[in-house]
Amino acid sequence: MKAMYYEAFGARPEIRTLPDPTPSNAGVVVKVEATGLCRSDWHGWQGHDPDISLPHVPGHELAGTVLATGRGVTRFRVGDRVTVPFVSGCGHCHECRSGNQQICEEQFQPGFTHWGSFAEYVALDYADQNLVHLPDNVSFATAASLGCRFATSFRAVCDQAKVKGGEWVAVHGCGGVGLSAIMIAAALGAHPIAIDISDDKLAFARKMGAVAAINARDVADVAEAVREITGGGAHASIDALGSRVTCFNSIRNLRRRGRHVQVGLMLGDEATPEIPMAQVIGHELEIYGSHGMQAWRYDAMLSMMAQGRLQPEKLIGREISLDEGVDALMTLDTTTDLGISVITRF
Ligand SMILES: [Zn+2]
Ligand SMILES: [Zn+2]
């Protein structure tokens, strides 16, 4: 198979011909039809992710067609159109048995713990627990954009923050996760407020449903600006970026009994943020983490898409080839693209 491949962190990935994968007993091989580029791929390539061992094939946001199945697979057949959450569960640990595959103790992550989808074919383990059948009306490119950012935001907004119609929702950071969260919160009838340092991203966020936008560079105090707009603070707030500043602001801008959800990964220097714990106690704030989404929760997301209430395809920017994906991967940390780039030609 043709694949993007690297042997050293930070070195230019190559397009190479590698042996075709074969399915494990509980796994499948999927012919990749579309695969999204994500900042996590860039972090992995830089060597920031301890799950990756070299040599490596990146790519974790994928959709495609089942090409081969292991003998133990019962729910999927050759030819099925499928996608998969970027965190897949083992199916037998305590968390998987409680329905929380997104925090599985032995999780399988294509593109991190295993070779991923920047390739013609990808092997996916534990298929019955983790694969999702795609409705015919969802394109492969749209489906590829779901597995990481959109599904993660869906869980953060619906299941962790439990956002309801009429509530104010502050969203800190308007990259893929933040824009998805804004679209999902708006679809639930809530009032999302977009916060970023780029006017272009804030303008795009308004198109996705934000009712107000704050450029953090233009205000002295972001939390105060949110409190002013909302008349006392947001009911729910999401740090979609993952930094000490956005995490702190996201907690501080809550109204009493508000809910903060940390979605943006806290890496390197940002790993240990300051938490205004006196406010957490005095105002009975709730603080949640959110990490991917279980395959079984895709039904709720896909049905909102079928009703036209969610349109994740609006977040797609460029469709590119696997060869073009090399430069796109290497520049993910500096790109000013508003939409997600998806590889659809191999
Ligand atoms: Zn991703
Ligand atoms: Zn598990």
Side-chain angles (χ1 to χ4, degrees):
M1 67 171 181
K2 197 173 158 191
M4 193 190 299
Y5 172 94
Y6 55 79
E7 288 180 341
F9 294 121
R12 185 180 177 81
E14 297 169 36
I15 302 298
R16 277 215 190 180
T17 302
L18 299 173
D20 291 348
T22 51
S24 65
N25 185 51
V28 298
V29 170
V30 167
K31 178 178 187 294
V32 182
E33 304 283 359
T35 179
L37 285 138
C38 172
R39 211 177 149 92
S40 307
D41 298 311
W42 180 86
H43 278 297
W45 168 67
Q46 283 285 300
H48 299 164
D49 193 320
D51 286 339
I52 295 178
S53 52
L54 295 171
H56 189 59
V57 174
H60 61 280
E61 305 183 354
L62 71 114
T65 314
V66 174
L67 191 72
T69 60
R71 262 189 276 166
V73 177
T74 59
R75 291 184 53 231
F76 295 90
R77 294 195 184 150
V78 171
D80 284 356
R81 301 171 82 246
V82 294
T83 188
V84 66
F86 81 96
V87 181
S88 292
C90 68
H92 55 74
C93 76
H94 180 77
E95 299 305 336
C96 282
R97 278 182 288 148
S98 75
N100 287 299
Q101 292 84 354
Q102 80 283 5
I103 49 166
C104 168
E105 293 165 21
E106 300 167 40
Q107 51 194 252
F108 169 93
Q109 296 187 18
F112 300 101
T113 61
H114 292 69
W115 280 9
S117 55
F118 291 172
E120 286 179 284
Y121 310 122
V122 62
L124 301 172
D125 217 348
Y126 316 124
D128 283 340
Q129 285 83 20
N130 297 302
L131 262 57
V132 176
H133 285 287
L134 279 183
D136 289 339
N137 59 355
V138 177
S139 75
F140 287 118
T142 301
S145 75
L146 296 177
C148 176
R149 289 162 278 203
F150 203 82
T152 295
S153 296
F154 192 87
R155 175 167 170 75
V157 172
C158 298
D159 294 352
Q160 298 294 80
K162 297 187 175 65
V163 168
K164 294 181 281 295
E167 290 189 324
W168 290 102
V169 181
V171 178
H172 297 258
C174 295
V177 169
L179 292 168
S180 304
I182 286 165
M183 184 189 291
I184 294 159
L188 295 172
H191 311 304
I193 301 172
I195 300 140
D196 203 282
I197 53 171
S198 151
D199 285 332
D200 285 350
K201 285 188 178 173
L202 290 171
F204 195 45
R206 281 187 184 273
K207 286 189 196 152
M208 296 302 117
V211 297
I214 297 171
N215 188 322
R217 290 208 166 127
D218 296 344
V219 295
D221 182 341
V222 168
E224 200 49 53
V226 171
R227 268 195 285 271
E228 236 165 72
I229 292 169
T230 57
H235 298 87
S237 187
I238 292 168
D239 177 7
L241 179 70
S243 79
R244 297 165 63 92
V245 171
T246 48
C247 172
F248 185 73
N249 285 340
S250 175
I251 298 169
R252 271 214 324 125
N253 69 193
L254 288 171
R255 70 175 56 213
R256 287 164 197 255
R257 294 183 57 79
R259 295 96 67 194
H260 162 78
V261 185
Q262 187 64 41
V263 184
L265 299 177
M266 306 294 281
L267 300 169
D269 293 345
E270 310 294 329
T272 51
E274 186 186 340
I275 309 286
M277 201 51 88
Q279 187 186 345
V280 172
I281 299 165
H283 292 182
E284 290 198 345
L285 305 182
E286 298 180 54
I287 297 187
Y288 297 92
S290 202
H291 187 248
M293 185 171 85
Q294 316 92 314
W296 62 267
R297 278 293 281 156
Y298 271 58
D299 271 1
M301 184 169 71
L302 291 168
S303 86
M304 284 179 75
M305 286 165 58
Q307 294 160 13
R309 293 169 66 198
L310 293 177
Q311 296 166 308
E313 63 276 9
K314 285 185 176 173
L315 300 172
I316 296 174
R318 294 189 301 150
E319 293 194 18
I320 60 175
S321 69
L322 184 64
D323 297 46
E324 291 166 334
V326 173
D327 283 322
L329 170 70
M330 293 173 71
T331 55
L332 270 172
D333 63 322
T334 51
T335 182
T336 53
D337 289 355
L338 293 175
I340 296 168
S341 294
V342 182
I343 297 170
T344 51
R345 301 188 301 279
F346 293 85

